Amino acid sequence: MMKIKRKKILWIRLLVYSLAMGAGTFLVHQKWDEQARTTFKTALLQELQKRDTLSIPYISNWTAISALEEVNPGVVEIALDSGKRKYEIPCFKFENSLVKGGIQRGLLTALLDESPLDADSLHGTWNKLLKESDIFLKTHTRITVWDFQEQPSSAFSKNVQKFSQTDSLLSYYMGFRCEVEATGYASCEWWLLSDWRLLAIGGVCAGIELLFFIFGKMYCYRKNRQPEEVEQEGLPVIVVTVEQSPVYQLGEHTFFDAERMELIKEEQVVKLTPQTAVLLEKFLQAEGHTLSTSLISETLWPNGSGSQERIHTLIRRLRKSLGELTALQIKFKNDSYHLIIPHFIEKNALTNA
């Protein structure tokens, strides 16, 4: 029973530690994702700032509204060589547009047409910002452009093969039609554990487990510590009352009530089965507290149904009950069992059976 309880407690502790580490990993990952989104936008702006030296003429035949525009125009019109054409701007693109003003979007179209974004350059700038912020994620970028026929073409940074669409953090859109898309991808590897917060959580869990281990060892040592042997004749078991069934004193404040079949130590009580109670009383009454296997069999199974297996099972139960409240032990030698009381020191070595 005690072993089962210990296993349950161990599994509960492991579950608590796993939940703590899982929650810590989730929170750190969430924070890194948020910071990665911020740094991706910063990297994108830095890439656009590299193009400040370009001279881009303003294209007057775009019908652009105020640069302060915050409402999706829905449809924009552009004059092409083939004539005017209308383009619909999806809501999700406009909501994630790097700039929302019509003039600014138009200027970005001209700017990026003259000097397109490079996926590797954007990836390098983003990675640099992440390292400066102590964020450890594996990343790559994708640049997609929709032409005037609404056909997309994409370019990826060099390490794209290790990523999937589910790793996408976010996309920003640029241009009058929101026709340029910059997407950042990120994944978290095992070295996420290098974050100091998770190391701290792991250290606390390891410290708690170490304390459990130390106190458990101390408890087992004190419980299983054998009485020190002394070369003197011990004290006999004391019969406290003599009635139909006596009460035996097995040690300080420890008694065996044969009639009630109970081991008693102060307020602690261990109930014995009828057979273990009879066997314990026979041990206490026997000379030298020794019983042969044949005598045990004749006493408890007078019909001859006793066997070595039954005797061994009964001895094991009695040992377990005694171990809960007393320091008494049962040893086996020469086909006999011997009840050892701490006050009695035997000269011949006995072995467990």
Side-chain angles (χ1 to χ4, degrees):
M1 184 64 69
M2 289 297 292
K3 289 183 178 180
I4 294 175
K5 288 182 178 179
R6 288 173 186 169
K7 287 182 178 179
K8 287 183 177 179
I9 292 173
L10 176 61
W11 281 111
I12 290 173
R13 295 207 305 268
L14 290 175
L15 177 61
V16 171
Y17 299 152
S18 299
L19 290 175
M21 292 299 295
T25 301
F26 175 78
L27 292 175
V28 170
H29 199 174
Q30 288 295 104
K31 184 175 181 180
W32 281 7
D33 281 352
E34 181 181 347
Q35 292 176 317
R37 292 185 182 96
T38 303
T39 53
F40 181 73
K41 183 176 182 179
T42 303
L44 190 54
L45 291 173
Q46 288 185 10
E47 286 295 300
L48 293 175
Q49 287 171 0
K50 294 177 181 178
R51 292 156 173 79
D52 282 350
T53 57
L54 294 177
S55 176
I56 305 296
Y58 179 70
I59 304 177
S60 59
N61 53 1
W62 280 348
T63 305
I65 64 176
S66 169
L68 298 178
E69 172 191 333
E70 293 183 358
V71 179
N72 185 1
V75 176
V76 295
E77 187 177 90
I78 297 179
L80 304 174
D81 293 339
S82 57
K84 291 184 178 181
R85 180 169 178 175
K86 293 182 179 181
Y87 294 90
E88 181 180 356
I89 301 180
C91 290
F92 75 91
K93 286 189 176 183
F94 188 81
E95 289 299 321
N96 293 286
S97 180
L98 192 64
V99 294
K100 291 184 168 58
I103 294 175
Q104 292 171 314
R105 297 201 321 273
L107 289 174
L108 279 179
T109 291
L111 181 69
L112 296 176
D113 183 60
E114 179 72 17
S115 178
L117 286 173
D118 180 75
D120 285 323
S121 178
L122 176 59
H123 177 254
T125 302
W126 187 25
N127 257 354
K128 179 181 178 183
L129 292 173
L130 289 174
K131 290 179 181 178
E132 290 174 354
S133 301
D134 292 328
I135 302 173
F136 304 101
L137 296 171
K138 292 188 73 65
T139 60
H140 88 277
T141 56
R142 182 189 68 190
I143 305 297
T144 301
V145 180
W146 280 265
D147 61 21
F148 290 114
Q149 282 71 46
E150 299 290 347
Q151 296 300 315
S153 59
S154 299
F156 297 85
S157 53
K158 294 179 181 178
N159 56 342
V160 65
Q161 67 275 8
K162 296 182 179 179
F163 292 82
S164 67
Q165 292 296 327
T166 57
D167 296 319
S168 174
L169 273 173
L170 76 167
S171 295
Y172 283 108
Y173 296 88
M174 294 155 284
F176 191 63
R177 299 177 289 126
C178 296
E179 70 276 6
V180 179
E181 177 192 68
T183 303
Y185 294 80
S187 67
C188 203
E189 301 258 334
W190 62 268
W191 31 272
L192 166 68
L193 294 175
S194 62
D195 184 82
W196 68 268
R197 301 170 189 82
L198 292 184
L199 293 177
I201 294 174
V204 170
C205 294
I208 294 173
E209 191 61 29
L210 180 61
L211 289 177
F212 271 113
F213 177 78
I214 292 173
F215 283 114
K217 286 294 184 181
M218 291 176 62
Y219 173 78
C220 292
Y221 171 75
R222 296 183 66 178
K223 184 176 180 180
N224 299 327
R225 186 173 57 183
Q226 301 298 326
E228 185 178 353
E229 293 190 358
V230 293
E231 294 191 5
Q232 62 179 25
E233 185 176 354
L235 301 175
V237 175
I238 301 173
V239 179
V240 179
T241 61
V242 181
E243 298 174 353
Q244 291 182 344
S245 295
V247 175
Y248 298 88
Q249 183 173 0
L250 305 180
E252 187 177 3
H253 308 302
T254 306
F255 301 89
F256 167 52
D257 189 327
E259 181 178 5
R260 298 173 63 180
M261 296 183 291
E262 292 178 345
L263 290 171
I264 306 167
K265 184 174 184 181
E266 297 177 344
E267 297 182 356
Q268 302 180 69
V269 177
V270 174
K271 191 73 176 178
L272 302 180
T273 64
Q275 281 190 324
T276 54
V278 171
L279 180 59
L280 177 56
E281 188 172 17
K282 289 298 181 183
F283 269 122
L284 296 174
Q285 293 174 349
E287 182 179 355
H289 307 299
T290 300
L291 296 174
S292 65
T293 55
S294 59
L295 181 58
I296 294 174
S297 180
E298 292 172 4
T299 302
L300 297 175
W301 296 281
N303 60 358
S305 63
S307 64
Q308 289 293 335
E309 183 178 357
R310 282 189 166 186
I311 294 172
H312 184 73
T313 300
L314 188 60
I315 291 291
R316 186 175 69 250
R317 290 175 181 169
L318 181 56
R319 282 173 173 161
K320 180 180 178 182
S321 299
L322 291 172
E324 293 188 36
L325 294 183
T326 75
L328 276 66
Q329 298 182 18
I330 299 176
K331 302 289 184 176
F332 180 80
K333 184 180 181 182
N334 297 331
D335 203 33
S336 295
Y337 289 94
H338 180 72
L339 177 66
I340 298 177
I341 303 173
H343 306 298
F344 289 85
I345 305 301
E346 296 293 332
K347 294 183 180 180
N348 296 328
L350 302 175
T351 58
N352 286 308

